[in-house]
Amino acid sequence: VSGGVAKKEHSEFSSNIDLIDTLPPGLYEAVFESKDADTSNPELATGHWVMRCEMRTLDDIRALVGSDATDERRFATAARVSDSNLAMYRTFVQPFVRAFVNTPLSNWMHQLHPLRLQYEMLSDANPLMASVGRLAEEVRERRQPVANDNPFLAMQEAASRQIIQVLDAWRVWNEILAERIFLGVYGSRTLQAAVGIDPERITPLRKSARSPLYRELLEKRIAELKSRIPLGGLREAIVRSLLYAGMARAAIDERGFETVRRIREEESDLPLSAFKTLLREQFFMLLIDSKAALEAIPAMLPADPEVRQKALDLIHEVMRSRGDLSAEDRRRLNEISNLFDVGKRQERHDRQAGRKNSRTANRQKFRVVEPNRTQVKAS
């Protein structure tokens, strides 16, 4: 990608690393939109871009790369050749390597790896580079802008453009060469037949079965999450409601996450790591049994209608942080509002408060009258 795109993506990813780490498990596409006059709540997004993570499936990738049965056979052939090479290496080569290569030699080879050595040679670890650091400080102190018509500036721009063109040409040529080699080698019908791949097969290749241990662990985890669906309090109810209300969007916007982050910092002492765990667990509960998860929300809420209303307002605030609500968003929010039962509960709360005040007033009257009766009997 170009330098500008790479810089934009790097900046957005680094500033939203907590958002990315909080995402429920799945496949996402990072979408970047530039801020403009129509952007809702631009102050909630850092930089000049708004990042949104949209949920994707493997079918989206298949549609993007255009994979077919021919490609499946090629990749299956490459996988089997790789497994065969690994097995032969472990059988015939690895024992000799372990016998003749000790730990100091292994560490030395590790340090001299070309990809690592090229950075080490240009770092402070190289004594010959010590003067470069001092020269860099002097340049920073004496740096002065030059005129736009400076010939050296024009030479620098021309050299930069030439370097970009050479690197782009090398990238294109390298990718074409790698693709042709892959297609030519692993697309060979002879090689496919040699490793047990039917060159005429048009149905998808059999996927490897998951181990019984994996299924057992998965069943235990599902049973554990189901047993914890009714558990929790206001915090769990808010997170569960937010996840359900936003599921229809199939995307998580950094503005909504920033709103949640600010509220969490102001009104909660919950660490970020614990918040991430809470979010993932509530997401799994909705994924496993959304009906039971929603039905459990009213019992998790406090009786005070003011607290419920505040929590419901918070959910609406987060949902509206990225702009106008869709029809499905409003439907889900109405469903959450019914679960919170704020209006009816406020009426019941007022009636209970009225009865309580009435009983209190009657007891006070009784205490006033009672001494008079005692005095009458005594007299």
Side-chain angles (χ1 to χ4, degrees), residues 63-224:
L64 181 66
V65 301
S67 179
D68 54 15
T70 304
D71 287 332
E72 293 291 339
R73 290 196 299 270
R74 293 189 183 113
F75 284 107
T77 303
R80 294 197 180 182
V81 170
S82 177
D83 292 340
S84 300
N85 291 337
L86 179 60
M88 288 190 291
Y89 170 81
R90 288 177 174 174
T91 303
F92 301 108
V93 181
Q94 192 177 65
F96 294 98
V97 173
R98 288 183 172 178
F100 291 100
V101 178
N102 52 27
T103 301
L105 179 59
S106 175
N107 293 335
W108 180 73
M109 295 173 63
H110 180 76
Q111 294 297 327
L112 292 182
H113 192 282
L115 295 179
R116 181 173 290 100
L117 188 62
Q118 63 181 342
Y119 292 102
E120 293 286 343
M121 293 179 62
L122 299 177
S123 68
D124 294 336
N126 185 356
L128 299 178
M129 297 296 295
S131 59
V132 176
R134 293 191 296 268
L135 291 174
E137 291 296 333
E138 294 180 5
V139 170
R140 292 190 186 97
E141 294 175 358
R142 303 177 182 180
R143 178 179 296 168
Q144 296 180 357
V146 298
N148 294 330
D149 57 352
N150 189 295
F152 293 102
L153 181 61
M155 293 173 57
Q156 172 184 297
E157 295 297 330
S160 177
R161 287 192 297 268
Q162 291 177 0
I163 292 174
I164 292 174
Q165 293 174 359
V166 171
L167 291 177
D168 285 341
W170 166 257
R171 173 179 55 81
V172 172
W173 179 84
N174 188 48
E175 290 177 352
I176 292 175
L177 179 62
E179 182 182 13
R180 290 183 178 178
I181 291 176
F182 178 85
L183 297 178
V185 173
Y186 298 105
S188 170
R189 297 167 65 88
T190 302
L191 180 59
Q192 291 178 1
V195 297
I197 301 296
D198 184 2
E200 303 295 335
R201 188 187 186 101
I202 59 175
T203 58
L205 296 170
R206 182 179 62 87
K207 294 182 173 61
S208 58
R210 291 177 175 176
S211 65
L213 179 60
Y214 174 82
R215 289 196 297 269
E216 181 181 353
L217 292 175
L218 185 61
E219 291 173 358
K220 288 183 178 180
R221 179 59 174 161
I222 291 176
E224 177 189 359

Side-chain angles (χ1 to χ4, degrees), residues 18 130 141 161 189 265 293 349 353 369:
D18 285 330
E141 294 175 358
R161 287 192 297 268
R189 297 167 65 88
E265 290 183 350
H349 184 269
V369 174

